[in-house]
Amino acid sequence: ETVLTQSPGTLSLSPGERATLSCRAGQGVSSGYVAWYQQRPGQAPRLLIYATSRRATGIPDRFSGSGSGTDFTLTISRLEPEDFAVYYCQQYDGSSLWTFGHGTKVEIK
Amino acid sequence: QLQLQESGPGLVKPSETLSLTCTVSGGSMGSSSYYWGWIRQPPGKGLEWIGSVSYSGNSYFNSSLESRISISVDTSRNHFSLKMRSVTAADTAVYYCARCVLGAASYFDYWGQGTLVTVSS
């Protein structure tokens, strides 16, 4: 099983600032198989990024993804009030097993 | 627009079987490009993939749960189901169903709203 470690656990920032979230895999992951989700309180997760860097439909361009191998990053260029939420990375190992990271909470400083 | 909706009991007794159904509307389940998955989230915690099933019934499970779970699909009725045996309080969670794209990329693009299942006597 590929373990995903997200850091930091909590990120305290102000609106307008840049957020950089990290997701490290225990073993190499194909770039096509990494995705990011946003979850606001009381809501289901929402797909933000798939295949490492492709934005899902309707996702603003302030969200971007990058990375390869074992290190992947979600960047929010300028935080809007609605971006304060929890973010999860997810991977597929190519053998019908999916895992999620434990999440990074982006909170208002 | 594809929609998924979970249904099932909100309260299950310890040692009994949890049964949930996910009804898919606004699209067909019969495509090899998609799997159909279950994900859960204990109160205040993160997401845990439970398992996924293809339209033809091939199923895959989280290794920590596979001895207790089964997932079935009924494409004629556009729904898929989860059964989890011998539940304990640790299985208390919000259970989500979701569509999983599987091809050159793999991700969960459509999610149900989630249903809270509490395990308690």
Side-chain angles (χ1 to χ4, degrees):
Chain A
E1 176 184 322
T2 302
V3 175
L4 297 179
T5 301
Q6 290 189 241
S7 61
T10 301
L11 198 51
S12 299
L13 295 168
S14 300
E17 289 194 296
R18 181 184 188 90
T20 302
L21 288 66
S22 172
C23 177
R24 177 162 292 178
Q27 58 194 68
V29 180
S30 169
S31 295
Y33 293 155
V34 174
W36 291 88
Y37 303 83
Q38 176 193 68
Q39 187 177 35
R40 296 174 177 142
Q43 295 186 15
R46 176 175 71 142
L47 176 69
L48 294 177
I49 300 286
Y50 67 95
T52 296
S53 60
R54 298 188 176 187
R55 277 187 298 276
T57 303
I59 301 302
D61 61 7
R62 63 180 181 272
F63 291 92
S64 63
S66 62
S68 65
T70 59
D71 293 312
F72 298 88
T73 301
L74 174 70
T75 301
I76 311 171
S77 59
R78 296 172 307 280
L79 283 164
E80 297 288 339
E82 62 269 27
D83 299 337
F84 291 92
V86 181
Y87 294 83
Y88 295 94
C89 59
Q90 167 253 306
Q91 71 84 38
Y92 170 68
D93 72 354
S95 301
S96 305
L97 295 176
W98 290 261
T99 52
F100 289 91
H102 290 117
T104 289
K105 181 180 182 180
V106 179
E107 66 175 22
I108 299 177
K109 186 174 180 180
Chain B
Q1 175 83 349
L2 195 75
Q3 292 185 316
L4 292 84
Q5 178 68 58
E6 305 89 353
S7 59
L11 181 65
V12 182
K13 290 183 168 55
S15 80
E16 294 191 344
T17 296
L18 178 161
S19 296
L20 295 174
T21 295
C22 181
T23 301
V24 179
S25 59
S28 171
M29 294 185 69
S31 169
S32 60
S33 298
Y34 306 118
Y35 273 56
W36 304 89
W38 289 97
I39 298 104
R40 70 179 182 179
Q41 185 171 38
K45 296 188 178 181
L47 302 171
E48 179 182 34
W49 173 70
I50 298 171
S52 298
V53 64
S54 70
Y55 79 101
S56 60
N58 294 322
S59 52
Y60 305 95
F61 307 119
N62 185 319
S63 58
S64 67
L65 298 170
E66 67 178 322
S67 64
R68 298 195 290 129
I69 61 177
S70 62
I71 299 177
S72 60
V73 62
D74 186 341
T75 55
S76 65
R77 298 172 66 182
N78 252 29
H79 72 215
F80 60 108
S81 301
L82 167 71
K83 289 190 187 297
M84 180 180 293
R85 298 174 290 278
S86 304
V87 298
T88 69
D91 296 311
T92 294
V94 175
Y95 285 76
Y96 295 100
C97 59
R99 187 178 80 169
C100 178
V101 174
L102 183 57
S106 186
Y107 50 91
F108 296 90
D109 59 350
Y110 288 93
W111 294 66
Q113 64 186 28
T115 187
L116 174 63
V117 178
T118 301
V119 179
S120 175
S121 55

